[in-house]
Amino acid sequence: MSCDLPGPGRFTVTTILVTHVRYPQDWNEMNPEPHPDPAAGHPARLAVGIIGAGRAGTALGAALARAGHQVVAASAVSDASLRRAHANFPGAVITEPSQVLRRADLAMLTVPDDVLPGLVAGLAATGAPLEGRMLAHASGRYGVTVLEPAVRQGALPLALHPVMTFTGRRDDVDRLSGTCFGVTAPEVLRPAAEALVIEMGGEPVFIAEEYRDLYHAAIAGAANHLITLVTQGMDLLRTAGVAQPARLLAPLLSASLDNALRFGDAGLTGPVARGDAATVAAHVAALEAAAGAPAAGAAGAPAAGAAGAPAGAPAGASAAAVTAYVAMARLTADRALAAGILKPADAERLLGVLGGRP
């Protein structure tokens, strides 16, 4: 993919890097102000357009505005996104995507992953003004190849994915402080990508194009599946009669997460890491028994709300939960064995408990 763009575009690559984006000679000496005062003047103010003013787009746009850039236009579809755009960018024109591009030096494409390829192809096919514009998306899955139809018409591609979850509240922009961004960009645009991420308060981590799917699988699996594991654990604790499962789990989970991030596999504890096969067998039996019990609200079952469970709460366990426990126990045993935490003889006993299960 080439970004040497001859022709009459409003900006060349050089002028974008030198004139329109802060570009110090020594990036190690960069010490940006977290919230510079736009009134004090900005050496590289960009007109920013947000295409898809959802939670992420609004947070990124607000961060760029804090850094002294100006959000001049936004597009939104849902009523919630329209309200969010009006509330956060009162000076911006709310319009359709091609008109957002027309007004912007930097267009942020902050739409769902599955929508992004069609959006880019549509903008390119309909003659939207792309030449000379920086086009940045915030998708975790994609690098810059997804922007190729726009690049062929002169757009300058960036992939800037914040490794953070957003709630739609005003404090979302504060979550970007210290957050890593998965960045993919052509070599000539890496300084621009780095500058923009730093201005938003983040830390750029460069991801090669061919590893974007693996990168995204890693962070989505770690973050999203963590929520599933925790909420499943809380459901089981409610079934066991614990009225406040979050209170019970919070210190343990905080310590476990800290151990994982600091020590890796060496932070493993618990019955699988110790090779307690009988305990693991008892866990599986208890989960299978709970999966076979009637759900809350069924005849003979506790009434909804019993043991602290809210009305409509899912059953404490299911066949899928048993399968997930067995799969995670196997993976934990494999990692513990490879790390030298679990002895081979103990691993064999665990396999005897887990091996014949789905």
Side-chain angles (χ1 to χ4, degrees):
M1 178 180 295
S2 172
C3 281
D4 297 322
L5 303 174
R10 292 193 302 164
F11 306 119
T12 66
V13 170
T14 301
T15 56
I16 286 175
L17 296 181
V18 176
T19 306
H20 291 274
V21 178
R22 286 195 287 194
Y23 185 24
Q25 294 300 310
D26 186 351
W27 291 96
N28 292 323
E29 294 179 4
M30 179 180 278
N31 184 26
E33 294 290 334
H35 307 305
D37 180 6
H42 192 276
R45 177 170 291 190
L46 294 170
V48 177
I50 308 295
I51 298 179
R55 297 173 182 180
T58 300
L60 295 175
L64 288 166
R66 275 189 177 182
H69 303 294
Q70 184 178 6
V71 178
V72 296
S75 70
V77 176
S78 71
D79 290 342
S81 293
L82 286 168
R83 289 193 299 269
R84 196 177 290 122
H86 283 297
N88 287 276
F89 312 123
V93 175
I94 309 302
T95 183
E96 51 92 17
S98 67
Q99 292 304 313
V100 173
L101 276 173
R102 192 172 300 281
R103 291 170 167 81
D105 306 320
L106 166 65
M108 301 294 296
L109 309 184
T110 48
V111 297
D113 289 0
D114 288 353
V115 174
L116 182 60
L119 170 65
V120 176
L123 290 171
T126 56
L130 291 163
E131 187 169 4
R133 269 84 173 179
M134 284 191 285
L135 208 61
H137 72 73
S139 165
R141 175 185 175 188
Y142 293 108
V144 292
T145 301
V146 72
L147 300 174
E148 181 64 32
V151 172
R152 288 196 293 268
Q153 296 189 27
L156 306 174
L158 304 171
L160 310 176
H161 173 243
V163 187
M164 180 50 63
T165 182
F166 301 106
T167 63
R169 299 196 303 262
R170 284 190 175 272
D171 62 354
D172 276 349
V173 65
D174 298 321
R175 293 175 175 233
L176 291 173
S177 179
T179 290
C180 290
F181 281 62
V183 175
T184 303
E187 189 65 31
V188 71
L189 291 177
R190 281 172 66 115
E194 186 171 15
L196 288 169
V197 169
I198 291 172
E199 286 194 324
M200 287 188 282
E203 178 181 342
V205 177
F206 287 94
I207 308 295
E209 181 78 26
E210 63 268 26
Y211 289 127
R212 286 297 293 207
D213 278 334
L214 184 61
Y215 151 81
H216 196 225
I219 60 176
N224 302 154
H225 298 169
L226 175 64
I227 291 176
T228 302
L229 288 170
V230 172
T231 54
Q232 172 67 23
M234 290 196 294
D235 288 342
L236 293 169
L237 287 169
R238 290 189 188 99
T239 300
V242 177
Q244 298 184 52
R247 172 70 185 88
L248 185 149
L249 283 174
L252 173 64
L253 295 180
S254 296
S256 295
L257 180 59
D258 182 62
N259 287 344
L261 295 175
R262 292 173 61 193
F263 308 122
D265 288 322
L268 273 173
T269 62
V272 172
R274 292 192 300 266
D276 291 344
T279 299
V280 173
H283 289 176
V284 174
L287 289 168
E288 288 175 334
S318 65
V322 178
T323 301
Y325 179 93
V326 170
M328 288 302 299
R330 285 175 177 161
L331 180 58
T332 302
D334 287 344
R335 297 189 68 92
L337 183 62
I341 299 167
L342 183 63
K343 297 177 182 178
D346 292 334
E348 284 197 21
R349 284 193 293 273
L350 283 170
L351 185 61
V353 171
L354 301 170
R357 298 183 181 275

